[in-house]
Amino acid sequence: SGSRRGGGGQQYQQQRGAHTQQRRHTPGGGAHWTLRPGFRFNPAAGAWTEVANGSSRDAAGVRSSLSVISFNVLFDTYDADKISTPLRTPALLRLLALHSADIVCLQEVKPAFLSEILADPFIRQEYFVSDIPSGPESSVSGSVCPYGQLVLSRIPFESLWLFKFSAKKCVIIAEVRVNGRRIAVPVVHLPSSHHMHAME
C-alpha cells in the first residue's frame, strides 16, 4: 500500500464551473436529491479532476454486454480486530482488477479506504468515480463520510444523484448511457440490526 500512497496519491483537484449543484426537492419536506459530479484521474495533472456529467456520452460505443459488481467492503468500525482491513484492502483491489467489471458498486466505504482506491494505478487508468476525499463536492458532504457508497464506472456518468436519508444513510444512483439507452444503477446500504441506532 505504500507505493499507492506515494507520489500524487493524495492529490485531488476541482475544476470549478464544470458542475453546478442542483437539488430536486421531494414533496413533503427537506429530503432531496442532489446532482453531483463524477471524477476521472488526469495523468498530466497528477490528480483526480471533476468531469461534467454527460460530457462524453458517446465514448462507450456499442456494447454487447454490461458487467456490474456489488461488494460490501466491510468497514472496521465494529470488530476491527476480526476484519484485518490492511489485508482486505489490497485483496479487494486485486479482485477488482481480476474481474474488471464495467460498473463497480461498493458499500461501507470510509475515507481511508477511498484514498486507497483512488491511489491504485488500475483504478486510475480504467474508471470514473463518484467521490473524492477532499473539496466541497466530495466526502466532506458526500457519500462516504463517515462511511457510505462509491461507484466506479468505465462508462462516463450521464448523471450522479445522491439522496440523504439521514446523516449516515444515503443512496447513489449512477446513470450511464449504453447503446443509446440510459441505465440507472442504484447503490444503497440497508440498515442492519448490529447497532441500536442503525436506522440513523
Side-chain angles (χ1 to χ4, degrees):
S1 60
S3 61
R4 290 196 296 274
R5 289 174 177 156
Q10 299 301 319
Q11 297 180 18
Y12 308 93
Q13 176 176 315
Q14 298 284 70
Q15 293 183 344
R16 302 189 183 280
H19 168 78
T20 300
Q21 189 178 66
Q22 300 180 25
R23 299 183 188 275
R24 178 184 296 171
H25 290 274
T26 57
H32 58 262
W33 291 93
T34 302
L35 181 64
R36 294 175 52 80
F39 301 88
R40 186 72 192 246
F41 187 73
N42 183 337
W48 287 88
T49 57
E50 185 178 312
V51 178
N53 290 322
S55 59
S56 303
R57 62 181 57 182
D58 298 324
V62 177
R63 292 175 172 267
S64 59
S65 64
L66 180 70
S67 57
V68 180
I69 286 179
S70 180
F71 196 92
N72 187 318
V73 303
L74 191 60
F75 62 27
D76 54 9
T77 301
Y78 310 105
D79 303 321
D81 57 324
K82 301 176 182 178
I83 292 176
S84 301
T85 297
L87 298 177
R88 289 176 59 84
T89 298
L92 175 59
L93 291 171
R94 290 193 296 269
L95 279 175
L96 294 181
L98 175 65
H99 292 286
S100 194
D102 296 315
I103 299 175
V104 179
C105 307
L106 302 177
Q107 303 90 41
E108 293 196 13
V109 175
K110 296 177 73 173
F113 182 84
L114 176 60
S115 294
E116 292 279 357
I117 285 279
L118 298 182
D120 185 77
F122 173 74
I123 301 299
R124 288 183 169 189
Q125 179 177 336
E126 298 295 331
Y127 288 101
F128 295 85
V129 300
S130 62
D131 210 346
I132 61 173
S134 64
E137 291 294 341
S138 70
S139 57
V140 172
S141 59
S143 60
V144 298
C145 185
Y147 63 87
Q149 290 82 263
L150 183 71
V151 185
L152 314 176
S153 178
R154 291 178 180 273
I155 307 167
F157 295 119
E158 185 79 4
S159 65
L160 274 170
W161 291 97
L162 173 69
F163 184 91
K164 298 286 286 187
F165 294 101
S166 67
K168 297 181 180 179
K169 294 295 182 182
C170 68
V171 59
I172 300 175
I173 296 182
E175 294 182 311
V176 296
R177 188 170 293 273
V178 178
N179 299 344
R181 299 179 59 186
R182 180 178 291 185
I183 297 175
V185 181
V187 189
V188 65
H189 180 244
L190 300 176
S192 70
S193 58
H194 192 292
H195 192 276
M196 63 180 296
H197 300 297
M199 291 299 294
E200 300 176 2

